[in-house]
Amino acid sequence: MLEKIKKFFSKEIKEIGDLKNLEQLRVKYLGRKSELTQILRSLKNFSIEKRRKIGPQAQKLKKEIEIILTKKLKELKAKNSKLKVDIDITRPGEKIKLGHIHPLTKIEEEIRQIFLSMNFSVVEGPEVENEHYNFDALNIPPNHPARDMWDTFWLKTQTNTDYTQIDTEGLYKSVSSQYKSMLLRTHTSPVQIRYMETHNPPFQIIVPGRVFRYEAIDASHEINFYQLEGLIVGENVSLANFKSVIEEFFRKLFGNKIEFRFRPSYFPFVEPGLEVDIKLGKDWLEIMGAGMVHRKVFDAVRYNPNEVRGIAFGVGIDRLAMIKYNIPDIRLFYNGDLRFIKQF
Ligand code: FA5
């Protein structure tokens, strides 16, 4: 009887491949209802001799089975944990998602490279400005109707009250700019003043930067957008220089098929002032304000207007990106939709 149990057990254990089957086998051979347990339990009904003979043999078999089961259990557990760290190195990996350059960053970088190749320096200035740099020094005094050209986000500061107490007659020259009201710059032109205050001509600079306007938003107008200012100052600078620089810039950015139109226009800080239109397909597009730097601007930075001349221009970077990448609505740049950004 015991021999038979041992034989069957030895055969069955060899076929066990997982923990669940092993447990079933344990129940079958050592569980309460197993043959071996039955035998051990019924020993007390046997005669003394039989008990002495079968008892130790049954106990020995029980031990043997336990040892074999434990060994198998360890084997299976070891195999399982090894399975978990097995990596199939031939499986294709998951693609790591890379970020994208925003189209405005992309075009700004391209514009910088074009101007660097023409020997311009790149300069930046503060986004929070004061009234002196954004308006007064650019020949736009308080109450001048031209201020309406730039709807402004004013900041609440202590200096606002200082300013109203000052006599407007002497305001322009006698008041240090730090006492002027603070605002978010409405164009990059204030950086012209900041640069000329601290540098001597000749020089040629561009100023890319973020600007703000308190105006209604539509497909081509944002309250927050980007401009590129240009300023060239020297002894013999003329509108002819401007024309050649700007035409070269646009050809490098948009290709040789581009057409130009230079129209007279008005900005308080230039005289004469002009506006540049470009045509790539059917329509003319207003793209840039420009002109010869006004003598009053040179006065404000203590340059001698009889000795130097300058040309200045300002262009909307968003508008350039809309043309370059064929984007119908300026708001797409700012709504954070990744489906849009991922196309660049
Ligand atoms: C100016 O801001 C002048 N500072 C430009 C200038 C510089 C003239 C130097 C002369 C000499 P204007 O307000 O026209 O001008 O703006 C210049 C360009 O910014 C526009 O041609 C347009 O391309 C862009 N722009 C203006 N308003 C918006 C807006 N709300 N959203 C997007 N782009 C705008």
Side-chain angles (χ1 to χ4, degrees):
M1 186 74 162
L2 291 174
E3 278 305 306
K4 225 169 112 195
I5 294 173
K6 189 174 172 177
K7 207 175 118 199
F8 281 115
F9 175 77
S10 304
K11 202 174 148 222
E12 281 187 58
I13 187 88
K14 283 192 193 124
E15 285 155 21
I16 299 294
D18 62 52
L19 291 170
K20 201 172 142 217
N21 288 338
L22 185 69
E23 175 59 14
Q24 278 169 5
L25 194 73
R26 186 193 65 79
V27 171
K28 184 171 170 188
Y29 284 91
L30 297 180
R32 261 188 295 136
K33 289 178 188 156
S34 68
E35 268 181 282
L36 190 57
T37 307
Q38 296 302 328
I39 291 170
L40 285 164
R41 276 199 188 145
S42 54
L43 279 177
K44 58 180 183 297
N45 307 327
F46 295 169
S47 67
I48 281 253
E49 282 140 57
K50 224 176 170 189
R51 223 188 287 171
R52 279 204 184 129
K53 192 173 162 235
I54 297 174
Q57 281 178 8
Q59 288 294 355
K60 194 175 151 227
L61 180 60
K62 191 182 169 195
K63 271 265 140 38
E64 273 174 28
I65 290 177
E66 275 172 1
I67 290 169
I68 294 170
L69 284 172
T70 311
K71 201 175 141 212
K72 190 79 179 179
L73 184 75
K74 279 188 187 155
E75 252 176 56
L76 289 177
K77 277 194 173 159
K79 202 170 128 202
N80 273 0
S81 63
K82 207 169 142 215
L83 266 183
K84 274 184 204 128
V85 295
D86 263 352
I87 296 167
D88 179 0
I89 54 161
T90 61
R91 256 181 70 178
E94 217 173 90
K95 248 193 168 175
I96 294 169
K97 290 194 183 80
L98 284 179
H100 287 253
I101 305 268
H102 193 283
L104 291 175
T105 311
K106 205 169 154 179
I107 199 163
E108 191 191 304
E109 185 52 32
E110 200 178 332
I111 293 169
R112 278 176 189 244
Q113 290 309 324
I114 294 173
F115 278 103
L116 286 172
S117 78
M118 295 195 274
N119 264 327
F120 278 71
S121 310
V122 182
V123 173
E124 290 184 8
E127 289 168 7
V128 174
E129 260 300 359
N130 62 48
E131 205 180 1
H132 172 77
Y133 288 108
N134 197 80
F135 291 126
D136 299 43
L138 289 164
N139 191 30
I140 321 167
N143 307 319
H144 191 288
R147 282 213 180 181
D148 296 342
M149 290 167 77
W150 295 280
D151 300 297
T152 309
F153 284 110
W154 294 91
L155 302 178
K156 275 187 189 160
T157 56
Q158 191 60 44
T159 51
N160 284 357
T161 39
D162 292 341
Y163 153 66
T164 49
Q165 289 161 2
I166 292 161
D167 174 16
T168 34
E169 285 302 311
L171 188 76
Y172 183 55
K173 289 219 167 94
S174 62
V175 177
S176 156
S177 59
Q178 65 182 322
Y179 293 116
K180 295 297 183 96
S181 305
M182 303 300 283
L183 48 83
L184 297 181
R185 68 176 176 193
T186 58
H187 49 183
T188 41
S189 300
V191 190
Q192 287 187 30
I193 307 296
R194 288 185 177 275
Y195 191 80
M196 286 192 281
E197 278 181 346
T198 49
H199 296 79
N200 285 321
F203 59 77
Q204 42 186 17
I205 58 164
I206 53 158
V207 186
R210 188 179 185 182
V211 301
F212 308 84
R213 289 194 194 171
Y214 182 46
E215 58 183 35
I217 295 175
D218 62 28
S220 54
H221 294 84
E222 258 293 348
I223 54 170
N224 158 168
F225 60 101
Y226 289 82
Q227 281 191 340
L228 182 91
E229 194 82 8
L231 180 66
I232 307 176
V233 180
E235 257 176 56
N236 292 311
V237 175
S238 71
L239 278 181
N241 298 130
F242 168 71
K243 194 164 174 279
S244 71
V245 165
I246 271 334
E247 287 187 359
E248 177 165 352
F249 163 64
F250 279 125
R251 289 211 175 92
K252 282 192 168 152
L253 191 65
F254 292 128
N256 282 328
K257 280 205 179 123
I258 190 168
E259 289 178 66
F260 300 94
R261 201 161 68 180
F262 297 85
R263 281 183 295 110
S265 184
Y266 172 72
F267 297 94
F269 32 92
V270 288
E271 178 58 37
L274 50 104
E275 214 142 351
V276 183
D277 301 341
I278 57 171
K279 193 164 107 168
L280 284 159
K282 282 205 321 279
D283 303 319
W284 285 101
L285 299 157
E286 271 184 40
I287 196 78
M288 171 184 269
M292 301 291 298
V293 177
H294 200 290
R295 9 184 349 122
K296 286 210 173 156
V297 173
F298 283 146
D299 280 341
V301 298
R302 301 185 200 288
Y303 280 9
N304 184 344
N306 299 321
E307 282 175 8
V308 288
R309 283 160 196 274
I311 51 180
F313 56 89
V315 60
I317 294 180
D318 304 62
R319 301 265 173 93
L320 296 179
M322 288 169 79
I323 298 169
K324 175 115 184 159
Y325 305 125
N326 213 356
I327 291 158
D329 195 319
I330 192 171
R331 289 167 288 198
L332 287 164
F333 292 132
Y334 300 98
N335 68 5
D337 190 335
L338 288 180
R339 290 171 306 176
F340 172 72
I341 306 292
K342 278 180 182 161
Q343 296 172 54
F344 295 90

